[in-house]
Amino acid sequence: MTLVAGCGGLDARTSSPTSGKGSSVDVADARKKLAKLAVKGRAPRTGFDRDNFGPAWSDVDHNGCDTRNDILKRDLRDEKFKPGTHDCIVVSGVLDDPYSGKTIDFKRGQDTSTAVQIDHLVPLSDAWQKGAQQWAASKRKEFANDPLNLLAVDGPLNNQKSDSDAATWLPPRKDYRCPYIARQVEVKTKYEVWVTAAEKTAMEGILSSC
């Protein structure tokens, strides 16, 4: 069964896993992929720096918009754009937050932009401690800007999550936990990021209830 990762609950569908509005995740597939992920201990965080993953929000797809604005455009509704930016810079919109279920009004500005943040479902620091230290710089940059691993969410909850994995943090909105874990598994499979034993147990627990 495929579960839709939307904010209005989970619906059974048969579409393939994607990212963005109307995205869906295949829970059965996630269970199979989780079983194949390498299980290892967490490596030291030594040497981690955000810059190891390239400049923040690079325009990796060369569409003229940075990754942050690409994700805001994908995940918000009723978006408005800064004039003259070819519908690139999002200045306002509405987020149906998947982590909390709240509706959040986004307004671009020094004191307001942080209300909506772009979360790395698999945090950069987590990836660093589970394989990314050995990656080429180009792969780390790709990982940091991959839409599959990015989601517009409630800013304070993103700060609360920080670099936690599934063993220590889950979205408070329980009916989003299945899509959340399935997306994490998809990302970790794609980039061969390993899991800890505690993390795998937590993921199995969530996916078994989907």
Side-chain angles (χ1 to χ4, degrees), residues 31 34 39 130 164-171 177-178 180-182 184-185 195-210:
R31 292 184 187 125
L34 176 57
V39 180
K130 297 171 183 174
S164 299
D165 63 20
T168 53
W169 192 90
L170 291 168
R177 290 179 179 179
C178 288
Y180 176 78
I181 294 300
Q184 284 192 330
V185 170
V195 292
T196 64
E199 180 185 11
K200 183 177 182 180
T201 297
M203 287 176 153
E204 288 173 336
I206 294 297
L207 293 178
S208 68
S209 67
C210 298

Side-chain angles (χ1 to χ4, degrees), residues 65-66 69 80-83 85-91 108:
C65 304
D66 63 72
N69 278 291
K80 291 183 174 58
F81 301 93
K82 183 176 180 179
T85 65
H86 304 288
D87 286 353
C88 178
I89 297 179
V90 180
V91 295
R108 182 182 176 88

Side-chain angles (χ1 to χ4, degrees), residues 125-143:
S125 175
D126 181 66
W128 180 259
Q129 297 172 82
K130 297 171 183 174
Q133 292 187 41
Q134 285 74 49
W135 296 352
S138 58
K139 183 176 179 179
R140 288 198 291 263
K141 183 177 181 180
E142 178 189 352
F143 178 85

Side-chain angles (χ1 to χ4, degrees), residues 45-54 124-125 128 140:
R45 196 172 181 271
T46 307
F48 171 75
D49 189 282
R50 174 62 181 83
D51 291 342
N52 294 330
F53 290 81
L124 303 185
S125 175
W128 180 259
R140 288 198 291 263

Side-chain angles (χ1 to χ4, degrees), residues 1-204:
M1 180 176 69
T2 300
L3 298 179
V4 173
C7 294
L10 303 179
D11 304 316
R13 290 193 184 171
T14 56
S15 55
S16 59
T18 58
S19 59
K21 294 177 181 176
S23 65
S24 59
V25 288
D26 190 323
V27 172
D29 187 53
R31 292 184 187 125
K32 294 176 183 177
K33 289 178 177 177
L34 176 57
K36 295 178 181 179
L37 286 177
V39 180
K40 303 181 185 180
R42 183 186 292 271
R45 196 172 181 271
T46 307
F48 171 75
D49 189 282
R50 174 62 181 83
D51 291 342
N52 294 330
F53 290 81
W57 310 131
S58 302
D59 179 16
V60 294
D61 59 2
H62 306 294
N63 70 345
C65 304
D66 63 72
T67 302
R68 173 178 166 79
N69 278 291
D70 281 340
I71 301 304
L72 288 174
K73 185 176 181 178
R74 185 194 71 184
D75 291 352
L76 299 183
R77 56 181 172 85
D78 302 331
E79 310 98 314
K80 291 183 174 58
F81 301 93
K82 183 176 180 179
T85 65
H86 304 288
D87 286 353
C88 178
I89 297 179
V90 180
V91 295
S92 66
V94 179
L95 174 69
D96 295 314
D97 177 44
Y99 286 177
S100 67
K102 297 188 302 184
T103 298
I104 302 171
D105 291 322
F106 170 77
K107 184 177 181 181
R108 182 182 176 88
Q110 183 175 350
D111 300 322
T112 56
S113 287
T114 55
V116 173
Q117 298 179 19
I118 308 302
D119 181 35
H120 288 91
L121 280 88
V122 176
L124 303 185
S125 175
D126 181 66
W128 180 259
Q129 297 172 82
K130 297 171 183 174
Q133 292 187 41
Q134 285 74 49
W135 296 352
S138 58
K139 183 176 179 179
R140 288 198 291 263
K141 183 177 181 180
E142 178 189 352
F143 178 85
N145 293 277
D146 190 337
L148 179 66
N149 193 33
L150 298 172
L151 197 62
V153 300
D154 174 77
L157 281 179
N158 187 44
N159 292 333
Q160 180 191 93
K161 172 187 173 181
S162 186
D163 61 356
S164 299
D165 63 20
T168 53
W169 192 90
L170 291 168
R173 180 172 168 240
K174 292 183 178 179
D175 67 358
Y176 193 73
R177 290 179 179 179
C178 288
Y180 176 78
I181 294 300
R183 279 275 291 275
Q184 284 192 330
V185 170
E186 191 74 17
V187 171
K188 292 206 166 194
T189 297
K190 180 177 179 179
Y191 289 92
E192 299 181 325
V193 178
W194 71 71
V195 292
T196 64
E199 180 185 11
K200 183 177 182 180
T201 297
M203 287 176 153
E204 288 173 336

